[in-house]
Amino acid sequence: MAEPPSIPFRTTGSRLFHPLSVRFNVPLDQVNFAVCQLFALFAAFWFRLYLSPSRAGVVIRHVVITMIGIYFAIFCFGWYSLHIFIEVSLCYCIMITANVSNIHRYSFVAAMSYLTLCQISRVYIFNYGLLATDFSGPLMIVTQKITSLAFQMHDGLGRKEEELTAEQRRLAVSSRPTLLEYCSYHLNFLGILAGPASNYKDYIAFIEGNHIDMKLIEEHWKQKGFSKFPDPSPLRAVANKMVITFVCLVWFMLITKNFPITYNVDDKFISEASFFRKLCYLFLSVHASRPKYYFAWTLADAVNNAGGFGFNGLDKNGNIRWDLISNLNIWNIETATSFKMCLDSWNIQTGAWLKGVCYDRAPYFPTALTFILSALWHGVYPGYYFTFTTAILITLAARTMRSNFRHYFLSSRMMKTVYDIITWVSTQLALCYIVTPFLLLGAEPTIKFYKSMYFHFHILCAFVLPILAVQKRKSITQTISLKANSSNPALRHQQPKKEQ
């Protein structure tokens, strides 16, 4: 009788739940993650009820939330958790010693360099194999927080208020955090395992108990006739998110494993399947891979909400919102009719981080630089760079197509519906084409995949992007012409002729 396949229990974290790993045929590191997140959910409720700002002081809340987070990190990652603590310690030293005019540069270089070195070591040591205990996820979240805080401190301490955008003014930090505040922000148990990343001012307001007042004051709550701020309960939001988490878990267990992404580059499948069949399987396999991200991010959001963090004011109908640090909008992702709509709804907090530290600050080529930073932050697998390089091309091509053709479909509701269907199909297929190398990781399977797809989206971009270049050249020419006319006194004072 054949022996059952061995379970990958190798981990630097705790082996307490190894029997559970064997029983359900799930890798031990994933079991540890799920158990810790479920424990964090109950701990978050306890923290909100028994260590609320009215019952416990700020220091107690900081200490407890940090110590539980450190324990979770050690339980899941063992000695690998040292990488998280080293990066936080290194960047804290930079924060308290660096000049405010350079604090964002030094912190960014240090955090990204340490993250990249850790990711390079994983690639070369494990040769594209995913490490059983993957500590890079928490390290990526910590890197986001470190760099965001450094830029926000630079905005608050090293720049004039009139130089800042409205969002930069809102998030600017005007004093250096203490060691306890810094550790609490980066290592708290609500977000140490799966995030999402949050802004420092929002987190400190939550710890101090001012987060609800802050959000309602922003919405002019008192002007609406209310004299006292309510204490909104997160129970409904947490319950809804746990239902979504359960559905995603069931989907992952029953569906995802039946549509492996690697089958897209199976030699027999490539040689025998028609192009249409390849497209259909590509669509199914990529969509089948999404629920694992939905599961992790929605559960992480629920944990934060259970602790009382994530309140975001009221919507236009007066309903309470608990989406301050939500990381995705599943409905918008699945129904996206444009690449931008999907990007704005997927990994939202990472998108906000990229916008805050790169896109809004890049003097040239903000789109390209943002995608490059995103690839570097994700890791050093070649598939990541294929994904984000292709994403740059398709983003520019999609903008060109939209600006040149969308207005032709707005004449009637039926035409608009036709346009929405066409753009939904093209957007979803483009996304599948873009993210497959990200999931395949390696360069060789990525090239094999592109060949099996006949590089069709790359070829489409090659035809569309010259149109964008021509439009940009015309725009530059018109701008130069307008400047020349405005500098000529005779032309500047010449009155335009009225139409007859």
Side-chain angles (χ1 to χ4, degrees), residues 185-239:
Y185 174 55
H186 293 99
L187 303 176
N188 68 83
F189 78 87
L190 298 178
I192 191 164
L193 296 183
S198 58
N199 291 304
Y200 177 77
K201 287 183 74 172
D202 290 330
Y203 177 76
I204 293 299
F206 155 69
I207 291 293
E208 295 177 350
N210 302 324
H211 59 299
I212 295 174
D213 292 6
M214 187 174 71
K215 286 298 175 184
L216 294 179
I217 288 173
E218 287 178 4
E219 299 179 3
H220 310 291
W221 182 262
K222 288 185 178 180
Q223 294 180 12
K224 297 179 181 179
F226 296 90
S227 58
K228 185 179 180 181
F229 297 147
D231 184 16
S233 171
L235 287 178
R236 177 174 293 182
V238 173

Coordinates of all heavy atoms in Angstrom, one line a residue, residues 185-239:
Y185 N 3.5 50.8 16.5 CA 3.0 51.0 15.1 C 3.5 49.9 14.2 O 2.7 49.4 13.3 CB 3.6 52.4 14.6 CG 3.3 52.7 13.2 CD1 2.0 52.7 12.7 CD2 4.3 53.0 12.3 CE1 1.7 53.0 11.3 CE2 4.1 53.3 11.0 CZ 2.7 53.3 10.5 OH 2.5 53.6 9.2
H186 N 4.7 49.4 14.3 CA 5.2 48.4 13.3 C 5.0 47.0 13.8 O 4.9 46.1 12.9 CB 6.7 48.6 13.1 CG 7.1 49.9 12.5 ND1 7.5 51.0 13.1 CD2 7.1 50.3 11.1 CE1 7.7 52.0 12.3 NE2 7.5 51.6 11.1
L187 N 4.9 46.7 15.1 CA 4.8 45.3 15.5 C 3.5 44.9 16.2 O 3.5 43.8 16.8 CB 6.0 45.1 16.5 CG 7.4 45.4 16.0 CD1 8.4 45.2 17.1 CD2 7.8 44.5 14.8
N188 N 2.5 45.8 16.2 CA 1.3 45.4 16.8 C 0.6 44.2 16.3 O 0.8 43.9 15.1 CB 0.3 46.6 16.8 CG -0.2 46.9 15.4 OD1 -1.1 46.2 14.9 ND2 0.5 47.8 14.7
F189 N 0.0 43.4 17.1 CA -0.6 42.1 16.7 C -1.7 42.2 15.7 O -2.0 41.2 15.0 CB -1.0 41.3 17.9 CG -2.3 41.7 18.5 CD1 -3.5 41.1 18.0 CD2 -2.4 42.6 19.6 CE1 -4.7 41.4 18.6 CE2 -3.6 42.9 20.1 CZ -4.8 42.3 19.6
L190 N -2.3 43.4 15.6 CA -3.5 43.5 14.6 C -3.0 43.4 13.2 O -3.7 42.9 12.3 CB -4.1 44.9 14.8 CG -4.8 45.1 16.2 CD1 -5.4 46.5 16.2 CD2 -5.9 44.1 16.5
G191 N -1.7 43.8 12.9 CA -1.3 43.8 11.5 C 0.1 43.2 11.3 O 0.6 43.3 10.1
I192 N 0.7 42.6 12.2 CA 2.1 42.1 12.0 C 2.2 41.0 11.1 O 3.2 40.8 10.3 CB 2.8 41.7 13.4 CG1 4.3 41.5 13.1 CG2 2.1 40.5 14.0 CD1 5.1 41.5 14.3
L193 N 1.1 40.1 11.0 CA 1.2 38.9 10.1 C 0.8 39.2 8.7 O 1.3 38.7 7.7 CB 0.4 37.8 10.7 CG 0.8 37.2 12.0 CD1 -0.1 36.1 12.4 CD2 2.3 36.8 12.0
A194 N -0.3 40.0 8.5 CA -0.8 40.2 7.1 C -1.2 41.7 6.9 O -1.8 41.9 5.9 CB -2.0 39.3 6.9
G195 N -0.8 42.6 7.8 CA -1.2 44.0 7.6 C -2.7 44.2 7.8 O -3.2 43.5 8.7
P196 N -3.3 45.1 7.1 CA -2.7 45.9 6.0 C -1.9 47.1 6.7 O -2.0 47.4 7.8 CB -3.9 46.5 5.3 CG -5.1 45.7 5.8 CD -4.8 45.2 7.1
A197 N -1.1 47.7 5.8 CA -0.4 48.9 6.3 C -1.3 50.0 6.6 O -2.4 50.1 5.9 CB 0.6 49.3 5.2
S198 N -1.0 50.8 7.5 CA -1.8 52.0 7.9 C -1.0 53.2 8.1 O 0.3 53.1 8.2 CB -2.6 51.7 9.2 OG -1.7 51.4 10.2
N199 N -1.6 54.4 8.1 CA -0.9 55.6 8.4 C -0.6 55.8 9.9 O -1.5 55.5 10.7 CB -1.6 56.8 7.8 CG -1.6 56.7 6.3 OD1 -0.6 56.7 5.6 ND2 -2.8 56.8 5.7
Y200 N 0.5 56.4 10.2 CA 0.9 56.5 11.6 C -0.1 57.4 12.4 O -0.4 57.0 13.5 CB 2.3 57.2 11.6 CG 2.8 57.4 13.0 CD1 3.3 56.4 13.8 CD2 2.8 58.7 13.6 CE1 3.7 56.7 15.1 CE2 3.2 59.0 14.9 CZ 3.7 57.9 15.6 OH 4.1 58.2 16.9
K201 N -0.5 58.5 11.8 CA -1.5 59.3 12.6 C -2.8 58.6 12.8 O -3.4 58.8 13.9 CB -1.7 60.6 11.8 CG -0.5 61.6 11.8 CD -0.8 62.9 11.1 CE -1.8 63.8 11.9 NZ -1.9 65.1 11.3
D202 N -3.3 57.8 11.9 CA -4.5 57.1 12.1 C -4.3 56.1 13.2 O -5.2 55.9 14.1 CB -4.9 56.4 10.8 CG -5.4 57.3 9.7 OD1 -5.9 58.4 10.1 OD2 -5.2 57.0 8.6
Y203 N -3.1 55.4 13.2 CA -2.9 54.4 14.2 C -2.8 55.0 15.6 O -3.3 54.5 16.6 CB -1.6 53.6 13.9 CG -1.2 52.6 15.0 CD1 -1.9 51.4 15.0 CD2 -0.2 52.8 15.9 CE1 -1.6 50.4 16.0 CE2 0.1 51.9 16.9 CZ -0.6 50.7 16.9 OH -0.3 49.8 17.9
I204 N -2.0 56.1 15.8 CA -1.9 56.7 17.1 C -3.2 57.3 17.6 O -3.5 57.2 18.8 CB -0.8 57.8 17.0 CG1 0.6 57.2 16.7 CG2 -0.8 58.7 18.2 CD1 1.1 56.3 17.8
A205 N -4.0 57.8 16.7 CA -5.3 58.3 17.1 C -6.2 57.1 17.6 O -6.9 57.3 18.6 CB -6.0 58.9 15.9
F206 N -6.0 55.9 17.0 CA -6.8 54.7 17.5 C -6.3 54.3 18.9 O -7.1 54.0 19.8 CB -6.5 53.6 16.5 CG -6.7 52.2 17.1 CD1 -7.9 51.7 17.5 CD2 -5.5 51.4 17.2 CE1 -8.0 50.5 18.0 CE2 -5.6 50.1 17.7 CZ -6.9 49.7 18.2
I207 N -5.0 54.3 19.1 CA -4.4 53.9 20.4 C -4.9 54.9 21.5 O -5.2 54.5 22.6 CB -2.9 53.8 20.4 CG1 -2.5 52.6 19.5 CG2 -2.3 53.7 21.8 CD1 -2.8 51.2 20.1
E208 N -4.9 56.2 21.1 CA -5.2 57.2 22.1 C -6.7 57.4 22.3 O -7.2 58.1 23.1 CB -4.6 58.5 21.7 CG -3.0 58.5 21.8 CD -2.4 59.8 21.3 OE1 -3.1 60.6 20.7 OE2 -1.2 59.9 21.4
G209 N -7.5 56.7 21.4 CA -8.9 56.8 21.5 C -9.6 58.0 20.8 O -10.7 58.4 21.1
N210 N -8.8 58.7 19.9 CA -9.3 59.9 19.2 C -9.7 59.6 17.8 O -10.1 60.5 17.1 CB -8.2 60.9 19.2 CG -7.7 61.3 20.6 OD1 -8.5 61.4 21.5 ND2 -6.5 61.6 20.7
H211 N -9.7 58.3 17.3 CA -9.8 58.0 15.9 C -11.3 58.3 15.5 O -11.5 58.8 14.4 CB -9.4 56.6 15.6 CG -10.2 55.6 16.4 ND1 -10.2 55.5 17.7 CD2 -11.0 54.5 16.0 CE1 -10.9 54.5 18.2 NE2 -11.4 53.9 17.1
I212 N -12.3 58.0 16.3 CA -13.7 58.2 15.9 C -14.0 59.7 15.8 O -14.5 60.1 14.9 CB -14.6 57.4 16.9 CG1 -14.4 55.9 16.8 CG2 -16.1 57.8 16.6 CD1 -15.2 55.1 17.8
D213 N -13.6 60.4 16.9 CA -13.8 61.8 16.9 C -13.1 62.5 15.7 O -13.7 63.4 15.0 CB -13.2 62.5 18.2 CG -14.0 62.0 19.4 OD1 -14.9 61.2 19.2 OD2 -13.7 62.5 20.5
M214 N -11.9 62.1 15.4 CA -11.1 62.7 14.3 C -11.9 62.5 13.0 O -12.0 63.4 12.2 CB -9.7 62.0 14.2 CG -8.8 62.7 13.2 SD -7.1 62.0 13.3 CE -7.4 60.4 12.6
K215 N -12.4 61.3 12.7 CA -13.1 61.0 11.4 C -14.4 61.8 11.3 O -14.8 62.3 10.3 CB -13.3 59.5 11.3 CG -12.0 58.8 10.9 CD -11.5 59.2 9.6 CE -10.2 58.6 9.3 NZ -9.6 59.1 8.0
L216 N -15.1 61.8 12.5 CA -16.4 62.5 12.4 C -16.3 64.0 12.4 O -17.1 64.7 11.8 CB -17.2 62.1 13.6 CG -17.7 60.6 13.7 CD1 -18.4 60.3 14.9 CD2 -18.5 60.3 12.4
I217 N -15.2 64.6 13.0 CA -15.0 66.0 12.9 C -14.6 66.4 11.4 O -15.1 67.4 10.9 CB -13.8 66.4 13.8 CG1 -14.3 66.4 15.3 CG2 -13.3 67.8 13.5 CD1 -13.2 66.6 16.3
E218 N -13.9 65.5 10.7 CA -13.6 65.7 9.3 C -14.9 65.9 8.5 O -14.9 66.6 7.5 CB -12.7 64.6 8.8 CG -11.3 64.6 9.2 CD -10.5 63.4 8.7 OE1 -11.1 62.6 7.9 OE2 -9.4 63.2 9.1
E219 N -15.9 65.2 8.9 CA -17.2 65.2 8.2 C -18.2 66.2 8.8 O -19.4 66.1 8.5 CB -17.8 63.8 8.2 CG -16.9 62.8 7.5 CD -17.5 61.4 7.5 OE1 -18.6 61.2 8.0 OE2 -16.9 60.4 7.0
H220 N -17.7 67.1 9.6 CA -18.5 68.2 10.2 C -19.8 67.6 10.9 O -20.9 68.0 10.7 CB -19.0 69.1 9.1 CG -17.8 69.6 8.3 ND1 -16.9 70.5 8.8 CD2 -17.5 69.4 7.0 CE1 -16.0 70.7 7.8 NE2 -16.3 70.1 6.7
W221 N -19.5 66.6 11.8 CA -20.6 65.9 12.4 C -21.5 66.8 13.3 O -22.7 66.7 13.3 CB -20.0 64.8 13.3 CG -21.0 64.0 14.1 CD1 -21.4 64.1 15.3 CD2 -21.7 62.8 13.6 NE1 -22.3 63.1 15.7 CE2 -22.5 62.3 14.6 CE3 -21.7 62.2 12.3 CZ2 -23.3 61.2 14.4 CZ3 -22.5 61.0 12.2 CH2 -23.3 60.6 13.2
K222 N -20.8 67.8 13.9 CA -21.6 68.7 14.8 C -22.5 69.6 14.0 O -23.6 70.0 14.4 CB -20.6 69.5 15.7 CG -20.0 68.7 16.8 CD -19.1 69.6 17.7 CE -18.5 68.8 18.8 NZ -17.7 69.6 19.7
Q223 N -22.1 69.9 12.7 CA -22.9 70.8 11.9 C -24.2 70.1 11.5 O -25.1 70.7 11.0 CB -22.1 71.2 10.7 CG -20.9 72.1 11.0 CD -20.2 72.5 9.8 OE1 -20.6 72.3 8.7 NE2 -19.0 73.1 10.0
K224 N -24.2 68.7 11.6 CA -25.4 68.0 11.2 C -26.4 67.9 12.4 O -27.4 67.1 12.3 CB -25.0 66.6 10.8 CG -24.1 66.6 9.5 CD -23.7 65.2 9.1 CE -22.8 65.3 7.9 NZ -22.4 63.9 7.4
G225 N -26.1 68.5 13.5 CA -27.1 68.6 14.6 C -26.8 67.6 15.7 O -27.7 67.4 16.6
F226 N -25.7 66.9 15.8 CA -25.3 66.0 16.8 C -24.3 66.7 17.8 O -23.3 67.3 17.3 CB -24.7 64.7 16.2 CG -25.7 64.0 15.4 CD1 -25.7 64.2 14.0 CD2 -26.5 63.0 15.9 CE1 -26.6 63.5 13.2 CE2 -27.4 62.3 15.1 CZ -27.5 62.6 13.7
S227 N -24.6 66.5 19.1 CA -23.7 67.1 20.0 C -22.7 66.1 20.6 O -21.7 66.5 21.3 CB -24.5 67.7 21.2 OG -25.3 66.7 21.8
K228 N -22.9 64.8 20.5 CA -22.1 63.8 21.1 C -21.7 62.8 20.0 O -22.6 62.3 19.3 CB -22.7 63.2 22.3 CG -21.8 62.2 23.0 CD -22.6 61.6 24.2 CE -21.7 60.7 25.0 NZ -22.4 60.1 26.1
F229 N -20.5 62.4 20.0 CA -20.1 61.3 19.0 C -20.4 60.0 19.5 O -20.2 59.6 20.7 CB -18.5 61.4 18.8 CG -18.1 62.7 18.2 CD1 -16.8 63.2 18.5 CD2 -18.8 63.4 17.3 CE1 -16.4 64.4 18.0 CE2 -18.4 64.6 16.8 CZ -17.2 65.1 17.1
P230 N -21.0 59.1 18.7 CA -21.3 57.8 19.1 C -20.1 56.9 19.2 O -19.0 57.2 18.7 CB -22.3 57.3 18.0 CG -21.8 58.0 16.8 CD -21.3 59.4 17.3
D231 N -20.3 55.7 19.7 CA -19.2 54.7 19.8 C -19.7 53.5 18.9 O -20.3 52.6 19.3 CB -19.0 54.2 21.2 CG -17.8 53.2 21.2 OD1 -17.0 53.2 20.3 OD2 -17.7 52.5 22.2
P232 N -19.3 53.6 17.6 CA -19.8 52.6 16.6 C -19.3 51.2 16.9 O -18.1 51.1 17.1 CB -19.4 53.2 15.3 CG -18.2 54.0 15.6 CD -18.4 54.6 16.9
S233 N -20.1 50.2 16.8 CA -19.7 48.9 17.0 C -19.2 48.3 15.7 O -19.9 48.4 14.7 CB -20.8 48.0 17.6 OG -20.5 46.7 17.6
P234 N -18.1 47.5 15.7 CA -17.6 46.9 14.5 C -18.2 45.5 14.2 O -17.8 44.8 13.3 CB -16.1 46.8 14.7 CG -16.0 46.6 16.2 CD -17.1 47.4 16.8
L235 N -19.1 45.1 15.1 CA -19.6 43.7 15.0 C -20.2 43.3 13.7 O -19.8 42.2 13.1 CB -20.6 43.4 16.1 CG -20.1 43.3 17.6 CD1 -21.2 43.1 18.5 CD2 -19.1 42.2 17.7
R236 N -21.0 44.2 13.1 CA -21.6 43.8 11.8 C -20.5 43.8 10.7 O -20.6 42.9 9.9 CB -22.7 44.9 11.4 CG -23.3 44.6 10.1 CD -24.4 45.6 9.8 NE -25.6 45.3 10.7 CZ -26.7 46.0 10.6 NH1 -26.9 47.0 9.7 NH2 -27.7 45.7 11.4
A237 N -19.6 44.7 10.7 CA -18.5 44.7 9.7 C -17.7 43.5 9.8 O -17.3 42.9 8.8 CB -17.7 46.0 9.9
V238 N -17.3 43.1 11.1 CA -16.5 41.9 11.3 C -17.3 40.7 10.8 O -16.7 39.8 10.2 CB -16.1 41.8 12.8 CG1 -15.4 40.5 13.0 CG2 -15.2 43.0 13.2
A239 N -18.5 40.6 11.2 CA -19.3 39.4 10.8 C -19.4 39.3 9.3 O -19.2 38.2 8.7 CB -20.7 39.5 11.4

